[in-house]
Amino acid sequence: MNKKEDEFMKILVTGGAGFIGSHTCVELLNSEYDVVVVDNLSNSSEVSLDRVKEITGKDLKFYKADLLDCDTLDKIFLKEHIETVIHFAGLKSVNESVDKPLEYYNNNITGTINLCACMKKYGVKNIIFSSSATVYGEPAVLPITEQCPKGTPTNPYGMTKWMIEEILKDIQLSDNSWNVIILRYFNPIGAHESGLIGEDPKGIPNNLLPYITQVAIGKRDYLNIYGNDYDTPDGTCIRDYIHVVDLARGHVMAINKLKENCGFKIYNLGTGKGYSVMEVLHTFEKVCGRKLPYKIAGRRKGDVMASYADASLAKKELGWEAIYDLEKMCQDAWNWQKKNPSGYQ
Ligand code: NAD
Ligand code: WQD
């Protein structure tokens, strides 16, 4: 392997014990990268990393550490000779962010600033950041391209994504030897097909799929559908659901792009297809083999009517596209939920 390629082989994955992070660790290890995970386990379990090792038959290094703890972060960078960072670590509950804005701004933004300061100190200048379609706010066009202007997120969580994108843009602008890739995820769902890793929300799930799986397993009585009076074919909101393994693969493809010294880039990661809440419920019912109870509730504050990606730029420039359909996403989510009725506990 030549030096150029070798420069990218050791990957620091912040938030690597979490839902998307653990699936990305699998894809990285399968692609022969060395993986170092930093996670404070505030919303995850170390068991996920044991499962990553079980799936891949490979080892990774784990530090239980907080991005707010600069001294520890410094020691990790000193020891590990990191070449590239994939930055997942952050708090992600929309509802909670409205109640705890300071905690969200501090954790997500200060955490990112600490990380970037450490990267700068140790000359690590390649980063992939987990952003979200939430930065588009109420989208100006559908499907949403990366050219679509950023909107106004309706909550502090979304604002942290919005602001971190700007911070990373300014860092790259100040020193063009940095390579920054912003990945704007649409709605990640599903699980690894082994059923060993998956989404393990704490408390009552905010998101649609984990709520549906908990109704199916008998943990919740019924699904609340937030509004059926939108201007969509069946009146319920439309989203672009994407299999978490497809998303994870997107990160490996993004590392290849960093290797081209790509500068600052933004890519949507979605399937390009929108499904309504009702369609998701019916697809899940098909997979689990029975009808699931639901009630129509009022609209949820801050929801946009429809959001789905134009993912053609990622296809053109990263050579990436989603391969799994909604049924496969539901199958894998259900398999994970059945095998782990209480998550990683
Ligand atoms: P997750 O909560 O499962 O993973 C995030 C991980 O970060 C957790 O393991 C948590 O313990 C860790 N963490 C949080 N703050 C930390 C800190 N200060 N120091 C160290 N570790 C910390 O969430 P996820 O669904 O895997 O999301 C990963 C990233 O993708 C997040 O940045 C999230 O905002 C973003 N994202 C997620 C979605 C989604 O729907 N899941 C959509 C768009 C963007
Ligand atoms: C999808 C649809 C709900 C739950 C959020 C964040 C975004 C990103 C992904 C991550 C909507 C409806 C939901 C339920 C329902 N986050 N729904 N009953 O809102 O598109 O995006 O998660 O980091 O930033 O905003 O995803 O899964 O919450 O909702 O009817 O119990 O399902 O109204 O139409 P959303 P979601």
Side-chain angles (χ1 to χ4, degrees):
M1 183 176 306
N2 66 37
K3 171 85 177 84
K4 181 83 198 110
E5 279 181 20
D6 192 39
E7 268 171 23
F8 292 86
M9 289 314 283
K10 200 178 231 186
I11 316 286
L12 173 68
V13 183
T14 75
F19 172 44
I20 305 169
S22 55
H23 288 81
T24 302
C25 287
V26 168
E27 299 305 316
L28 289 170
L29 291 168
N30 283 342
S31 301
E32 309 304 331
Y33 286 101
D34 285 337
V35 174
V36 178
V37 168
V38 169
D39 197 303
N40 65 4
L41 303 182
S42 60
N43 195 40
S44 53
S45 159
E46 197 178 337
V47 176
S48 68
L49 297 175
D50 296 334
R51 304 272 180 90
V52 166
K53 293 179 205 166
E54 194 180 332
I55 291 168
T56 60
K58 292 184 175 144
D59 207 2
L60 55 74
K61 208 150 191 189
F62 172 56
Y63 291 93
K64 183 175 185 296
D66 197 311
L67 295 186
L68 299 179
D69 175 357
C70 293
D71 290 343
T72 303
L73 206 53
D74 192 288
K75 287 190 185 111
I76 295 168
F77 271 82
L78 182 65
K79 181 146 186 265
E80 293 295 343
H81 305 287
I82 300 300
E83 285 105 11
T84 295
V85 175
I86 305 182
H87 179 31
F88 294 105
L91 297 172
K92 66 159 182 180
S93 162
V94 167
N95 285 344
E96 191 182 55
S97 79
V98 174
D99 294 334
K100 300 177 177 171
L102 267 179
E103 201 178 308
Y104 269 67
Y105 285 117
N106 189 39
N107 189 77
N108 292 5
I109 295 184
T110 312
T112 302
I113 291 173
N114 291 346
L115 175 68
C116 290
C118 222
M119 289 174 68
K120 186 174 174 192
K121 178 171 170 188
Y122 288 93
V124 182
K125 295 181 175 182
N126 299 303
I127 184 168
I128 296 169
F129 173 62
S130 300
S131 190
S132 166
T134 196
V135 301
Y136 293 112
E138 188 73 54
V141 287
L142 282 169
I144 304 173
T145 68
E146 294 81 356
Q147 303 302 320
C148 179
K150 280 164 77 172
T152 310
T154 50
N155 55 78
Y157 163 73
M159 284 308 300
T160 67
K161 295 291 170 197
W162 198 103
M163 291 179 191
I164 293 168
E165 286 195 357
E166 299 300 312
I167 292 168
L168 292 173
K169 186 159 70 182
D170 286 339
I171 292 173
Q172 201 281 331
L173 212 57
S174 74
D175 175 354
N176 67 10
S177 62
W178 278 69
N179 297 304
V180 173
I181 295 184
I182 307 285
L183 297 178
R184 292 179 178 158
Y185 313 152
F186 279 68
N187 288 59
I189 60 170
H192 192 267
E193 72 175 352
S194 62
L196 285 169
I197 54 173
E199 189 166 11
D200 181 19
K202 291 196 174 20
I204 303 172
N206 291 316
N207 297 115
L208 181 62
L209 234 290
Y211 205 103
I212 292 179
T213 60
Q214 291 198 4
V215 173
I217 203 88
K219 260 192 178 175
R220 315 266 160 216
D221 292 338
Y222 57 88
L223 172 72
N224 279 303
I225 293 186
Y226 297 133
N228 67 347
D229 57 351
Y230 287 94
D231 186 15
T232 61
D234 65 22
T236 63
C237 291
I238 290 173
R239 295 288 182 274
D240 184 340
Y241 297 92
I242 174 164
H243 198 296
V244 64
V245 173
D246 274 333
L247 199 65
R249 285 192 308 104
H251 293 74
V252 178
M253 307 300 268
I255 296 174
N256 294 336
K257 188 73 188 171
L258 290 173
K259 291 176 189 172
E260 296 171 9
N261 280 326
C262 63
F264 182 82
K265 293 279 184 183
I266 299 175
Y267 298 104
N268 286 338
L269 294 187
T271 64
K273 293 191 196 75
Y275 290 97
S276 73
V277 176
M278 238 5 153
E279 287 174 310
V280 175
L281 178 64
H282 292 329
T283 305
F284 196 90
E285 287 175 333
K286 187 175 161 199
V287 161
C288 78
R290 66 190 176 88
K291 289 274 170 213
L292 296 176
Y294 70 86
K295 289 187 183 171
I296 303 297
R299 291 183 176 195
R300 185 172 70 174
K301 197 167 167 278
D303 270 344
V304 302
M305 179 172 74
S307 163
Y308 49 94
D310 178 332
S312 55
L313 190 66
K315 184 175 180 184
K316 183 168 162 234
E317 295 195 4
L318 302 180
W320 172 90
E321 69 183 320
I323 54 179
Y324 297 120
D325 63 13
L326 183 62
E327 194 166 319
K328 171 73 172 156
M329 299 179 214
C330 290
Q331 267 164 5
D332 288 339
W334 182 223
N335 183 40
W336 152 256
Q337 180 73 78
K338 278 188 297 182
K339 286 190 172 157
N340 305 270
S342 304
Y344 288 113
Q345 277 173 2

